[in-house]
mmCIF file of all heavy atoms in Angstrom:
data_model
loop_
_atom_site.group_PDB
_atom_site.id
_atom_site.type_symbol
_atom_site.label_atom_id
_atom_site.label_comp_id
_atom_site.label_asym_id
_atom_site.label_seq_id
_atom_site.Cartn_x
_atom_site.Cartn_y
_atom_site.Cartn_z
ATOM 1 N N LYS A 1 106.076 13.374 -35.869
ATOM 2 C CA LYS A 1 105.942 11.970 -36.223
ATOM 3 C C LYS A 1 106.729 11.685 -37.503
ATOM 4 O O LYS A 1 107.190 12.589 -38.193
ATOM 5 C CB LYS A 1 104.469 11.613 -36.431
ATOM 6 C CG LYS A 1 103.592 11.814 -35.202
ATOM 7 C CD LYS A 1 102.149 11.439 -35.509
ATOM 8 C CE LYS A 1 101.238 11.695 -34.320
ATOM 9 N NZ LYS A 1 99.824 11.348 -34.628
ATOM 10 N N SER A 2 106.853 10.396 -37.822
ATOM 11 C CA SER A 2 107.483 9.981 -39.072
ATOM 12 C C SER A 2 106.411 9.445 -40.009
ATOM 13 O O SER A 2 105.271 9.201 -39.617
ATOM 14 C CB SER A 2 108.527 8.896 -38.798
ATOM 15 O OG SER A 2 109.502 9.347 -37.894
ATOM 16 N N TYR A 3 106.789 9.268 -41.269
ATOM 17 C CA TYR A 3 105.906 8.660 -42.253
ATOM 18 C C TYR A 3 106.338 7.217 -42.523
ATOM 19 O O TYR A 3 107.510 6.880 -42.399
ATOM 20 C CB TYR A 3 105.943 9.434 -43.570
ATOM 21 C CG TYR A 3 105.391 10.834 -43.486
ATOM 22 C CD1 TYR A 3 106.243 11.923 -43.351
ATOM 23 C CD2 TYR A 3 104.019 11.066 -43.546
ATOM 24 C CE1 TYR A 3 105.744 13.217 -43.277
ATOM 25 C CE2 TYR A 3 103.513 12.363 -43.473
ATOM 26 C CZ TYR A 3 104.386 13.427 -43.336
ATOM 27 O OH TYR A 3 103.896 14.706 -43.254
ATOM 28 N N ASN A 4 105.387 6.396 -42.908
ATOM 29 C CA ASN A 4 105.666 5.052 -43.402
ATOM 30 C C ASN A 4 105.614 5.163 -44.926
ATOM 31 O O ASN A 4 104.541 5.269 -45.511
ATOM 32 C CB ASN A 4 104.621 4.075 -42.864
ATOM 33 C CG ASN A 4 104.928 2.636 -43.218
ATOM 34 O OD1 ASN A 4 105.767 2.348 -44.059
ATOM 35 N ND2 ASN A 4 104.217 1.718 -42.583
ATOM 36 N N THR A 5 106.774 5.137 -45.566
ATOM 37 C CA THR A 5 106.884 5.571 -46.958
ATOM 38 C C THR A 5 107.462 4.499 -47.866
ATOM 39 O O THR A 5 108.474 3.876 -47.546
ATOM 40 C CB THR A 5 107.769 6.834 -47.036
ATOM 41 O OG1 THR A 5 107.210 7.847 -46.190
ATOM 42 C CG2 THR A 5 107.858 7.356 -48.455
ATOM 43 N N SER A 6 106.816 4.325 -49.007
ATOM 44 C CA SER A 6 107.269 3.423 -50.051
ATOM 45 C C SER A 6 107.902 4.237 -51.174
ATOM 46 O O SER A 6 107.418 5.324 -51.508
ATOM 47 C CB SER A 6 106.090 2.612 -50.597
ATOM 48 O OG SER A 6 106.522 1.662 -51.544
ATOM 49 N N VAL A 7 108.970 3.701 -51.754
ATOM 50 C CA VAL A 7 109.726 4.423 -52.773
ATOM 51 C C VAL A 7 109.794 3.577 -54.041
ATOM 52 O O VAL A 7 110.112 2.388 -53.991
ATOM 53 C CB VAL A 7 111.154 4.742 -52.269
ATOM 54 C CG1 VAL A 7 111.952 5.478 -53.342
ATOM 55 C CG2 VAL A 7 111.090 5.583 -51.001
ATOM 56 N N ALA A 8 109.498 4.202 -55.177
ATOM 57 C CA ALA A 8 109.616 3.551 -56.477
ATOM 58 C C ALA A 8 110.928 3.987 -57.122
ATOM 59 O O ALA A 8 111.220 5.178 -57.213
ATOM 60 C CB ALA A 8 108.439 3.933 -57.373
ATOM 61 N N ILE A 9 111.703 3.004 -57.572
ATOM 62 C CA ILE A 9 113.032 3.243 -58.138
ATOM 63 C C ILE A 9 113.090 2.557 -59.500
ATOM 64 O O ILE A 9 112.736 1.385 -59.624
ATOM 65 C CB ILE A 9 114.120 2.660 -57.211
ATOM 66 C CG1 ILE A 9 114.067 3.326 -55.834
ATOM 67 C CG2 ILE A 9 115.497 2.818 -57.833
ATOM 68 C CD1 ILE A 9 114.930 2.638 -54.782
ATOM 69 N N ASP A 10 113.535 3.283 -60.526
ATOM 70 C CA ASP A 10 113.622 2.663 -61.847
ATOM 71 C C ASP A 10 114.933 1.911 -62.021
ATOM 72 O O ASP A 10 115.805 1.918 -61.137
ATOM 73 C CB ASP A 10 113.387 3.689 -62.964
ATOM 74 C CG ASP A 10 114.503 4.719 -63.110
ATOM 75 O OD1 ASP A 10 115.619 4.512 -62.598
ATOM 76 O OD2 ASP A 10 114.246 5.757 -63.768
ATOM 77 N N ALA A 11 115.089 1.250 -63.164
ATOM 78 C CA ALA A 11 116.250 0.393 -63.388
ATOM 79 C C ALA A 11 117.540 1.187 -63.588
ATOM 80 O O ALA A 11 118.628 0.595 -63.613
ATOM 81 C CB ALA A 11 116.003 -0.513 -64.586
ATOM 82 N N ASN A 12 117.423 2.502 -63.698
ATOM 83 C CA ASN A 12 118.610 3.358 -63.717
ATOM 84 C C ASN A 12 119.016 3.804 -62.312
ATOM 85 O O ASN A 12 119.972 4.553 -62.149
ATOM 86 C CB ASN A 12 118.362 4.592 -64.587
ATOM 87 C CG ASN A 12 118.168 4.251 -66.045
ATOM 88 O OD1 ASN A 12 118.902 3.425 -66.592
ATOM 89 N ND2 ASN A 12 117.172 4.863 -66.672
ATOM 90 N N GLY A 13 118.249 3.365 -61.318
ATOM 91 C CA GLY A 13 118.547 3.737 -59.941
ATOM 92 C C GLY A 13 117.980 5.078 -59.532
ATOM 93 O O GLY A 13 118.362 5.612 -58.482
ATOM 94 N N GLU A 14 117.045 5.616 -60.298
ATOM 95 C CA GLU A 14 116.454 6.912 -59.983
ATOM 96 C C GLU A 14 115.145 6.743 -59.216
ATOM 97 O O GLU A 14 114.319 5.887 -59.559
ATOM 98 C CB GLU A 14 116.184 7.709 -61.267
ATOM 99 C CG GLU A 14 117.426 8.012 -62.088
ATOM 100 C CD GLU A 14 118.423 8.885 -61.338
ATOM 101 O OE1 GLU A 14 117.984 9.797 -60.613
ATOM 102 O OE2 GLU A 14 119.634 8.651 -61.481
ATOM 103 N N ILE A 15 114.955 7.552 -58.177
ATOM 104 C CA ILE A 15 113.677 7.578 -57.466
ATOM 105 C C ILE A 15 112.661 8.310 -58.343
ATOM 106 O O ILE A 15 112.875 9.458 -58.719
ATOM 107 C CB ILE A 15 113.809 8.269 -56.101
ATOM 108 C CG1 ILE A 15 114.698 7.431 -55.170
ATOM 109 C CG2 ILE A 15 112.436 8.483 -55.470
ATOM 110 C CD1 ILE A 15 114.978 8.087 -53.837
ATOM 111 N N VAL A 16 111.554 7.631 -58.663
ATOM 112 C CA VAL A 16 110.555 8.229 -59.546
ATOM 113 C C VAL A 16 109.263 8.585 -58.818
ATOM 114 O O VAL A 16 108.445 9.342 -59.352
ATOM 115 C CB VAL A 16 110.267 7.309 -60.748
ATOM 116 C CG1 VAL A 16 111.517 7.128 -61.594
ATOM 117 C CG2 VAL A 16 109.720 5.948 -60.310
ATOM 118 N N ALA A 17 109.059 8.042 -57.611
ATOM 119 C CA ALA A 17 107.845 8.363 -56.853
ATOM 120 C C ALA A 17 108.023 7.890 -55.426
ATOM 121 O O ALA A 17 108.835 7.004 -55.139
ATOM 122 C CB ALA A 17 106.612 7.699 -57.473
ATOM 123 N N LYS A 18 107.238 8.483 -54.519
ATOM 124 C CA LYS A 18 107.139 7.937 -53.172
ATOM 125 C C LYS A 18 105.703 8.075 -52.694
ATOM 126 O O LYS A 18 104.986 9.001 -53.072
ATOM 127 C CB LYS A 18 108.124 8.594 -52.206
ATOM 128 C CG LYS A 18 107.827 10.022 -51.816
ATOM 129 C CD LYS A 18 108.861 10.509 -50.787
ATOM 130 C CE LYS A 18 108.531 11.926 -50.306
ATOM 131 N NZ LYS A 18 109.506 12.400 -49.301
ATOM 132 N N TYR A 19 105.296 7.123 -51.876
ATOM 133 C CA TYR A 19 103.938 7.073 -51.356
ATOM 134 C C TYR A 19 103.994 6.925 -49.852
ATOM 135 O O TYR A 19 104.706 6.053 -49.327
ATOM 136 C CB TYR A 19 103.171 5.890 -51.961
ATOM 137 C CG TYR A 19 101.902 5.547 -51.205
ATOM 138 C CD1 TYR A 19 100.778 6.368 -51.281
ATOM 139 C CD2 TYR A 19 101.843 4.422 -50.377
ATOM 140 C CE1 TYR A 19 99.628 6.069 -50.562
ATOM 141 C CE2 TYR A 19 100.695 4.117 -49.666
ATOM 142 C CZ TYR A 19 99.591 4.941 -49.755
ATOM 143 O OH TYR A 19 98.452 4.664 -49.036
ATOM 144 N N ARG A 20 103.243 7.756 -49.146
ATOM 145 C CA ARG A 20 103.153 7.683 -47.689
ATOM 146 C C ARG A 20 101.847 6.989 -47.295
ATOM 147 O O ARG A 20 100.763 7.393 -47.720
ATOM 148 C CB ARG A 20 103.211 9.093 -47.099
ATOM 149 C CG ARG A 20 104.583 9.742 -47.253
ATOM 150 C CD ARG A 20 104.543 11.221 -46.967
ATOM 151 N NE ARG A 20 105.887 11.781 -46.835
ATOM 152 C CZ ARG A 20 106.153 13.085 -46.742
ATOM 153 N NH1 ARG A 20 105.152 13.974 -46.754
ATOM 154 N NH2 ARG A 20 107.393 13.512 -46.617
ATOM 155 N N LYS A 21 101.980 5.947 -46.494
ATOM 156 C CA LYS A 21 100.829 5.118 -46.097
ATOM 157 C C LYS A 21 99.685 5.978 -45.568
ATOM 158 O O LYS A 21 99.875 6.804 -44.664
ATOM 159 C CB LYS A 21 101.286 4.117 -45.046
ATOM 160 C CG LYS A 21 100.236 3.116 -44.595
ATOM 161 C CD LYS A 21 100.860 2.159 -43.581
ATOM 162 C CE LYS A 21 99.886 1.135 -43.074
ATOM 163 N NZ LYS A 21 100.526 0.261 -42.053
ATOM 164 N N ILE A 22 98.503 5.761 -46.111
ATOM 165 C CA ILE A 22 97.334 6.575 -45.763
ATOM 166 C C ILE A 22 96.600 6.022 -44.547
ATOM 167 O O ILE A 22 96.214 6.772 -43.640
ATOM 168 C CB ILE A 22 96.376 6.658 -46.971
ATOM 169 C CG1 ILE A 22 97.016 7.495 -48.091
ATOM 170 C CG2 ILE A 22 95.027 7.245 -46.559
ATOM 171 C CD1 ILE A 22 96.216 7.508 -49.387
ATOM 172 N N HIS A 23 96.376 4.720 -44.504
ATOM 173 C CA HIS A 23 95.537 4.123 -43.461
ATOM 174 C C HIS A 23 96.402 3.608 -42.311
ATOM 175 O O HIS A 23 97.252 2.743 -42.502
ATOM 176 C CB HIS A 23 94.707 2.989 -44.046
ATOM 177 C CG HIS A 23 93.758 3.451 -45.118
ATOM 178 N ND1 HIS A 23 94.047 3.316 -46.466
ATOM 179 C CD2 HIS A 23 92.557 4.056 -45.038
ATOM 180 C CE1 HIS A 23 93.042 3.814 -47.162
ATOM 181 N NE2 HIS A 23 92.124 4.262 -46.331
ATOM 182 N N MET A 24 96.158 4.130 -41.134
ATOM 183 C CA MET A 24 96.933 3.752 -39.949
ATOM 184 C C MET A 24 96.361 2.490 -39.306
ATOM 185 O O MET A 24 95.142 2.341 -39.143
ATOM 186 C CB MET A 24 96.926 4.891 -38.925
ATOM 187 C CG MET A 24 97.617 6.161 -39.412
ATOM 188 S SD MET A 24 99.409 5.975 -39.667
ATOM 189 C CE MET A 24 99.483 5.608 -41.439
ATOM 190 N N PHE A 25 97.255 1.605 -38.927
ATOM 191 C CA PHE A 25 96.869 0.338 -38.306
ATOM 192 C C PHE A 25 96.661 0.565 -36.809
ATOM 193 O O PHE A 25 97.557 0.370 -35.996
ATOM 194 C CB PHE A 25 97.964 -0.699 -38.564
ATOM 195 C CG PHE A 25 97.614 -2.097 -38.123
ATOM 196 C CD1 PHE A 25 96.648 -2.825 -38.782
ATOM 197 C CD2 PHE A 25 98.282 -2.685 -37.060
ATOM 198 C CE1 PHE A 25 96.343 -4.125 -38.396
ATOM 199 C CE2 PHE A 25 97.987 -3.984 -36.660
ATOM 200 C CZ PHE A 25 97.010 -4.701 -37.329
ATOM 201 N N ASP A 26 95.467 0.979 -36.451
ATOM 202 C CA ASP A 26 95.076 1.196 -35.053
ATOM 203 C C ASP A 26 94.112 0.073 -34.677
ATOM 204 O O ASP A 26 92.896 0.200 -34.831
ATOM 205 C CB ASP A 26 94.419 2.568 -34.881
ATOM 206 C CG ASP A 26 95.387 3.719 -35.090
ATOM 207 O OD1 ASP A 26 96.604 3.477 -35.197
ATOM 208 O OD2 ASP A 26 94.923 4.871 -35.164
ATOM 209 N N VAL A 27 94.648 -1.035 -34.198
ATOM 210 C CA VAL A 27 93.876 -2.270 -34.042
ATOM 211 C C VAL A 27 94.238 -2.941 -32.724
ATOM 212 O O VAL A 27 95.414 -3.039 -32.362
ATOM 213 C CB VAL A 27 94.171 -3.237 -35.216
ATOM 214 C CG1 VAL A 27 93.470 -4.570 -35.008
ATOM 215 C CG2 VAL A 27 93.733 -2.617 -36.543
ATOM 216 N N ALA A 28 93.232 -3.417 -32.007
ATOM 217 C CA ALA A 28 93.448 -4.214 -30.799
ATOM 218 C C ALA A 28 92.537 -5.436 -30.868
ATOM 219 O O ALA A 28 91.315 -5.311 -30.807
ATOM 220 C CB ALA A 28 93.156 -3.399 -29.549
ATOM 221 N N ILE A 29 93.138 -6.612 -31.041
ATOM 222 C CA ILE A 29 92.366 -7.861 -31.132
ATOM 223 C C ILE A 29 92.827 -8.769 -29.998
ATOM 224 O O ILE A 29 93.820 -9.499 -30.104
ATOM 225 C CB ILE A 29 92.587 -8.561 -32.485
ATOM 226 C CG1 ILE A 29 92.287 -7.611 -33.649
ATOM 227 C CG2 ILE A 29 91.704 -9.804 -32.576
ATOM 228 C CD1 ILE A 29 92.616 -8.184 -35.016
ATOM 229 N N GLY A 30 92.129 -8.686 -28.871
ATOM 230 C CA GLY A 30 92.466 -9.498 -27.701
ATOM 231 C C GLY A 30 93.934 -9.339 -27.338
ATOM 232 O O GLY A 30 94.473 -8.239 -27.286
ATOM 233 N N ASP A 31 94.596 -10.468 -27.078
ATOM 234 C CA ASP A 31 96.023 -10.418 -26.768
ATOM 235 C C ASP A 31 96.864 -10.821 -27.980
ATOM 236 O O ASP A 31 98.063 -11.077 -27.858
ATOM 237 C CB ASP A 31 96.344 -11.327 -25.579
ATOM 238 C CG ASP A 31 95.963 -12.790 -25.830
ATOM 239 O OD1 ASP A 31 95.400 -13.092 -26.912
ATOM 240 O OD2 ASP A 31 96.220 -13.617 -24.934
ATOM 241 N N GLN A 32 96.236 -10.840 -29.158
ATOM 242 C CA GLN A 32 96.932 -11.262 -30.370
ATOM 243 C C GLN A 32 97.584 -10.101 -31.116
ATOM 244 O O GLN A 32 98.710 -10.213 -31.597
ATOM 245 C CB GLN A 32 95.951 -11.979 -31.318
ATOM 246 C CG GLN A 32 95.323 -13.214 -30.739
ATOM 247 C CD GLN A 32 96.333 -14.335 -30.544
ATOM 248 O OE1 GLN A 32 97.308 -14.448 -31.263
ATOM 249 N NE2 GLN A 32 96.091 -15.164 -29.542
ATOM 250 N N VAL A 33 96.851 -9.003 -31.248
ATOM 251 C CA VAL A 33 97.336 -7.842 -31.996
ATOM 252 C C VAL A 33 96.982 -6.588 -31.227
ATOM 253 O O VAL A 33 95.830 -6.396 -30.847
ATOM 254 C CB VAL A 33 96.691 -7.770 -33.404
ATOM 255 C CG1 VAL A 33 97.195 -6.528 -34.144
ATOM 256 C CG2 VAL A 33 96.986 -9.028 -34.210
ATOM 257 N N ASN A 34 97.965 -5.740 -30.987
ATOM 258 C CA ASN A 34 97.715 -4.468 -30.291
ATOM 259 C C ASN A 34 98.677 -3.424 -30.846
ATOM 260 O O ASN A 34 99.865 -3.440 -30.541
ATOM 261 C CB ASN A 34 97.892 -4.631 -28.779
ATOM 262 C CG ASN A 34 97.286 -3.464 -28.021
ATOM 263 O OD1 ASN A 34 97.252 -2.350 -28.518
ATOM 264 N ND2 ASN A 34 96.815 -3.733 -26.812
ATOM 265 N N GLU A 35 98.167 -2.549 -31.664
ATOM 266 C CA GLU A 35 99.006 -1.589 -32.380
ATOM 267 C C GLU A 35 98.233 -0.300 -32.564
ATOM 268 O O GLU A 35 97.037 -0.314 -32.880
ATOM 269 C CB GLU A 35 99.384 -2.152 -33.748
ATOM 270 C CG GLU A 35 100.388 -1.321 -34.513
ATOM 271 C CD GLU A 35 101.823 -1.645 -34.133
ATOM 272 O OE1 GLU A 35 102.240 -2.801 -34.285
ATOM 273 O OE2 GLU A 35 102.502 -0.714 -33.668
ATOM 274 N N THR A 36 98.892 0.841 -32.344
ATOM 275 C CA THR A 36 98.279 2.144 -32.609
ATOM 276 C C THR A 36 99.279 2.974 -33.400
ATOM 277 O O THR A 36 100.006 3.805 -32.856
ATOM 278 C CB THR A 36 97.884 2.859 -31.301
ATOM 279 O OG1 THR A 36 97.146 1.969 -30.473
ATOM 280 C CG2 THR A 36 97.025 4.092 -31.595
ATOM 281 N N GLU A 37 99.296 2.760 -34.704
ATOM 282 C CA GLU A 37 100.289 3.432 -35.543
ATOM 283 C C GLU A 37 100.135 4.946 -35.528
ATOM 284 O O GLU A 37 101.121 5.674 -35.671
ATOM 285 C CB GLU A 37 100.189 2.923 -36.982
ATOM 286 C CG GLU A 37 100.763 1.546 -37.193
ATOM 287 C CD GLU A 37 100.815 1.147 -38.649
ATOM 288 O OE1 GLU A 37 100.099 1.764 -39.471
ATOM 289 O OE2 GLU A 37 101.552 0.195 -38.961
ATOM 290 N N SER A 38 98.918 5.422 -35.361
ATOM 291 C CA SER A 38 98.708 6.870 -35.407
ATOM 292 C C SER A 38 99.398 7.599 -34.261
ATOM 293 O O SER A 38 99.543 8.824 -34.301
ATOM 294 C CB SER A 38 97.213 7.197 -35.403
ATOM 295 O OG SER A 38 96.595 6.700 -34.231
ATOM 296 N N ASP A 39 99.842 6.866 -33.231
ATOM 297 C CA ASP A 39 100.582 7.504 -32.139
ATOM 298 C C ASP A 39 101.955 7.991 -32.590
ATOM 299 O O ASP A 39 102.501 8.932 -32.010
ATOM 300 C CB ASP A 39 100.769 6.524 -30.967
ATOM 301 C CG ASP A 39 99.507 6.313 -30.168
ATOM 302 O OD1 ASP A 39 98.549 7.086 -30.350
ATOM 303 O OD2 ASP A 39 99.477 5.364 -29.362
ATOM 304 N N PHE A 40 102.523 7.334 -33.608
ATOM 305 C CA PHE A 40 103.897 7.669 -33.980
ATOM 306 C C PHE A 40 104.117 7.809 -35.487
ATOM 307 O O PHE A 40 105.211 8.164 -35.927
ATOM 308 C CB PHE A 40 104.874 6.628 -33.416
ATOM 309 C CG PHE A 40 104.582 5.201 -33.828
ATOM 310 C CD1 PHE A 40 105.226 4.628 -34.901
ATOM 311 C CD2 PHE A 40 103.655 4.446 -33.125
ATOM 312 C CE1 PHE A 40 104.959 3.324 -35.273
ATOM 313 C CE2 PHE A 40 103.378 3.132 -33.491
ATOM 314 C CZ PHE A 40 104.030 2.565 -34.571
ATOM 315 N N ILE A 41 103.077 7.546 -36.286
ATOM 316 C CA ILE A 41 103.175 7.695 -37.735
ATOM 317 C C ILE A 41 102.174 8.743 -38.203
ATOM 318 O O ILE A 41 101.002 8.730 -37.806
ATOM 319 C CB ILE A 41 102.906 6.354 -38.454
ATOM 320 C CG1 ILE A 41 103.958 5.315 -38.066
ATOM 321 C CG2 ILE A 41 102.890 6.552 -39.969
ATOM 322 C CD1 ILE A 41 103.708 3.936 -38.659
ATOM 323 N N GLU A 42 102.631 9.627 -39.053
ATOM 324 C CA GLU A 42 101.771 10.630 -39.683
ATOM 325 C C GLU A 42 101.177 10.007 -40.946
ATOM 326 O O GLU A 42 101.911 9.465 -41.785
ATOM 327 C CB GLU A 42 102.577 11.867 -40.047
ATOM 328 C CG GLU A 42 101.752 13.033 -40.542
ATOM 329 C CD GLU A 42 101.004 13.750 -39.437
ATOM 330 O OE1 GLU A 42 101.368 13.585 -38.251
ATOM 331 O OE2 GLU A 42 100.050 14.493 -39.760
ATOM 332 N N ALA A 43 99.867 10.068 -41.077
ATOM 333 C CA ALA A 43 99.216 9.476 -42.244
ATOM 334 C C ALA A 43 99.500 10.288 -43.499
ATOM 335 O O ALA A 43 99.523 11.528 -43.470
ATOM 336 C CB ALA A 43 97.714 9.388 -42.018
ATOM 337 N N GLY A 44 99.694 9.597 -44.605
ATOM 338 C CA GLY A 44 99.796 10.261 -45.892
ATOM 339 C C GLY A 44 98.423 10.721 -46.367
ATOM 340 O O GLY A 44 97.389 10.310 -45.825
ATOM 341 N N THR A 45 98.407 11.534 -47.396
ATOM 342 C CA THR A 45 97.146 12.099 -47.891
ATOM 343 C C THR A 45 96.954 11.928 -49.388
ATOM 344 O O THR A 45 95.885 12.247 -49.905
ATOM 345 C CB THR A 45 97.060 13.596 -47.564
ATOM 346 O OG1 THR A 45 98.172 14.276 -48.168
ATOM 347 C CG2 THR A 45 97.083 13.838 -46.055
ATOM 348 N N GLU A 46 97.956 11.420 -50.098
ATOM 349 C CA GLU A 46 97.885 11.373 -51.554
ATOM 350 C C GLU A 46 97.868 9.943 -52.083
ATOM 351 O O GLU A 46 98.632 9.090 -51.623
ATOM 352 C CB GLU A 46 99.071 12.109 -52.171
ATOM 353 C CG GLU A 46 99.063 13.609 -51.916
ATOM 354 C CD GLU A 46 100.213 14.289 -52.628
ATOM 355 O OE1 GLU A 46 101.368 13.875 -52.437
ATOM 356 O OE2 GLU A 46 99.945 15.247 -53.383
ATOM 357 N N VAL A 47 96.989 9.697 -53.039
ATOM 358 C CA VAL A 47 96.987 8.455 -53.802
ATOM 359 C C VAL A 47 98.048 8.611 -54.892
ATOM 360 O O VAL A 47 98.067 9.604 -55.609
ATOM 361 C CB VAL A 47 95.600 8.204 -54.422
ATOM 362 C CG1 VAL A 47 95.600 6.934 -55.267
ATOM 363 C CG2 VAL A 47 94.531 8.137 -53.328
#
């Protein structure tokens, strides 16, 4: 699987941190929303 990852970049253009999304959006609300992120995204583990 892949990660859903956020990257922090400082004003010098350097990567200073990255965060991998912890909570997977596995939600089915009628015909409005139907998503199972855990099928293709690996959950992060670190705050």
Side-chain angles (χ1 to χ4, degrees):
K1 299 180 183 179
S2 302
Y3 294 99
N4 186 347
T5 303
S6 184
V7 179
I9 299 169
D10 69 17
N12 295 317
E14 299 297 322
I15 293 175
V16 297
K18 71 177 184 179
Y19 164 73
R20 291 167 168 172
K21 184 178 180 182
I22 291 174
H23 298 99
M24 296 294 95
F25 187 69
D26 292 351
V27 175
I29 306 174
D31 59 357
Q32 300 292 330
V33 179
N34 195 329
E35 187 85 59
T36 311
E37 285 188 341
S38 60
D39 285 347
F40 56 96
I41 298 176
E42 187 75 18
T45 59
E46 293 184 306
V47 178

